[in-house]
Amino acid sequence: MLRPFALHRPGTAEEACALLATLGEDAAPYAGGTELLLLMKLGLLRPRHLVDVKRLAGFDVITDGGSLTLGAAVTHRAVERSPLVAARCPLVAAVARHVANVRVRNVGTVGGNLAFADPHSDLATLFLTLDAIVQLVSPRGRRELALADFTRGAWETARAADELLASVRLTPWPQGTAAVYVKFGVHERPTLGVALALVLDASRARVTEARVAVGCVDPRPVRVPSVEARLRGVAVPELEDVAGAIGELAAAAVEPDDDLHGSADYKREMVAVFVRRALRIAAGRARGASTPIPQFPHAVIA
Ligand SMILES: Cc1cc2nc3c(=O)[nH]c(=O)nc-3n(C[C@H](O)[C@H](O)[C@H](O)COP(=O)(O)OP(=O)(O)OC[C@H]3O[C@@H](n4cnc5c(N)ncnc54)[C@H](O)[C@@H]3O)c2cc1C
């Protein structure tokens, strides 16, 4: 049951931060409420004041100024439907379509997802490969942090109590990048997420740069520099040949724990399998292959 609370609806980020600073531990930012209200109903969180961030000026906009900026209060549904996101980062729109269910997507926000820092976040994994930078606002002003530094661990971020996540800035890959996101899981939230992008040379013959992130198995998602380095310079027709070794390299780089999603050994094996599969799909996309995308049980491919 929900305990009584006061709902504050400031109009600006400055007012919201001032409220958070004044109310201290008794207050929490409130966006879509898909996580927050659940925890409050369970009695795991008991804030007496909620500070609504959905109406804050500039928090619900998507802008393109070279990089793509998603306001913290932008919903998954808005990302999924945005022509701007589809044009600049099509994979981000495609992944948004597969977050949770439509009820959660309608109200759940990008900022709420990143600020909650659930290890089982698709956005946090994918955004790492887009060199995401988060913008934070507080009574002390604004600051920016790489998403990799913002997310410190499971449900833990670098956000101070009186700080708000205002937006996240993504650096889109060059046109023609062959990219894929694969998520696997049998629970409500993903057990594994793999984001893989291959930047190609002008003739689409060779990988010039690779970005690979694995999420949901470690307490926070990670880029995999060993895999990225191994993929750099590989000729597109040879990607198939290295797929097995790349999967093994990724599995060696993660440090999963045993939990309800499976044992550490199981997760490591799944990383090897799904990184290999992701690379094969991206290789097909690099070749411009028109073959249908393979389907795997309990997996979503975007
Ligand atoms: C059934 C279910 C399935 C899900 N499946 C997936 C999935 O497949 N993939 C995936 O990635 N995610 C999944 N999620 C997570 C979902 O994406 C998040 O619930 C949602 O995005 C959180 O946003 P919200 O606006 O509802 O956050 P809220 O619940 O409002 O807030 C979450 C937390 O963030 C804080 N917060 C919110 N906004 C800000 C801000 N601007 N600045 C600072 N702190 C803030 C709140 O104080 C709270 O601690 C699932 C969730 C549910 C309930």
Side-chain angles (χ1 to χ4, degrees), residues 20 27-39 45 50 53-54 56 59 72-74 76 95 98-101 104 107-118 120-124 136 150 159-160 163-167 181 183 188-190:
L20 288 174
Y30 161 63
T34 59
E35 307 286 16
L36 187 63
L37 296 181
L38 206 64
L39 294 180
L45 280 182
L50 296 189
V53 301
K54 290 189 293 296
L56 301 182
F59 269 46
V74 170
H76 299 297
V95 169
H98 295 291
V99 167
N101 54 55
V104 170
V107 291
T109 62
V110 169
N113 185 297
L114 299 178
F116 194 55
D118 184 325
H120 302 274
S121 161
D122 292 310
L123 273 59
L136 297 158
F150 175 71
R159 183 180 80 81
E163 256 181 332
L164 283 176
L165 181 58
S167 61
Y181 184 82
K183 70 190 249 181
E188 222 165 36
R189 298 167 197 239

Side-chain angles (χ1 to χ4, degrees), residues 213-228:
V214 174
C216 312
V217 293
D218 289 349
R220 58 179 184 161
V222 288
R223 285 273 289 261
V224 195
S226 55
V227 167
E228 295 179 351

Side-chain angles (χ1 to χ4, degrees), residues 55-115:
R55 300 169 181 209
L56 301 182
F59 269 46
D60 66 344
V61 293
I62 301 176
T63 52
D64 177 12
S67 46
L68 186 73
T69 300
L70 309 176
V74 170
T75 63
H76 299 297
R77 193 85 169 127
V79 173
E80 178 187 339
R81 294 177 149 195
S82 160
L84 192 54
V85 176
R88 298 287 280 124
C89 288
L91 195 60
V92 171
V95 169
R97 204 164 300 137
H98 295 291
V99 167
N101 54 55
V102 72
R103 286 176 61 205
V104 170
R105 291 202 294 281
N106 262 330
V107 291
T109 62
V110 169
N113 185 297
L114 299 178

Side-chain angles (χ1 to χ4, degrees), residues 48-280:
R48 291 196 292 150
H49 299 270
L50 296 189
V51 179
D52 193 340
V53 301
K54 290 189 293 296
R55 300 169 181 209
L56 301 182
F59 269 46
D60 66 344
V61 293
I62 301 176
T63 52
D64 177 12
S67 46
L68 186 73
T69 300
L70 309 176
V74 170
T75 63
H76 299 297
R77 193 85 169 127
V79 173
E80 178 187 339
R81 294 177 149 195
S82 160
L84 192 54
V85 176
R88 298 287 280 124
C89 288
L91 195 60
V92 171
V95 169
R97 204 164 300 137
H98 295 291
V99 167
N101 54 55
V102 72
R103 286 176 61 205
V104 170
R105 291 202 294 281
N106 262 330
V107 291
T109 62
V110 169
N113 185 297
L114 299 178
F116 194 55
D118 184 325
H120 302 274
S121 161
D122 292 310
L123 273 59
T125 307
L126 176 62
F127 288 2
L128 277 187
T129 62
L130 290 151
D131 296 326
I133 306 281
V134 298
Q135 283 100 39
L136 297 158
V137 56
S138 77
R140 296 168 297 287
R142 289 182 178 262
R143 64 174 179 141
E144 293 193 338
L145 273 182
L147 177 61
D149 297 326
F150 175 71
T151 316
R152 289 208 168 141
W155 300 283
E156 193 191 337
T157 70
R159 183 180 80 81
D162 60 353
E163 256 181 332
L164 283 176
L165 181 58
S167 61
V168 57
R169 196 170 71 234
L170 309 175
T171 304
W173 305 310
Q175 282 289 333
T177 296
V180 64
Y181 184 82
V182 184
K183 70 190 249 181
F184 166 81
V186 292
H187 302 286
E188 222 165 36
R189 298 167 197 239
T191 291
L192 171 67
V194 174
L196 190 147
L198 304 174
V199 182
L200 305 170
D201 64 9
S203 55
R204 301 184 70 78
R206 199 168 285 281
V207 176
T208 56
E209 199 189 327
R211 306 210 184 136
V212 181
V214 174
C216 312
V217 293
D218 289 349
R220 58 179 184 161
V222 288
R223 285 273 289 261
V224 195
S226 55
V227 167
E228 295 179 351
R230 178 69 186 82
L231 285 170
R232 214 168 292 135
V234 175
V236 168
E238 286 161 19
L239 286 169
E240 285 281 342
D241 303 335
V242 299
I246 290 291
E248 295 300 330
L249 207 53
V254 294
E255 294 172 3
D257 290 324
D258 298 344
D259 64 17
L260 286 177
H261 287 261
S263 68
D265 286 346
Y266 166 78
K267 290 185 206 169
R268 214 182 279 282
E269 180 60 25
M270 295 311 266
V271 170
V273 168
F274 277 99
V275 168
R276 185 179 74 218
R277 288 175 176 173
L279 180 57
R280 288 193 170 138

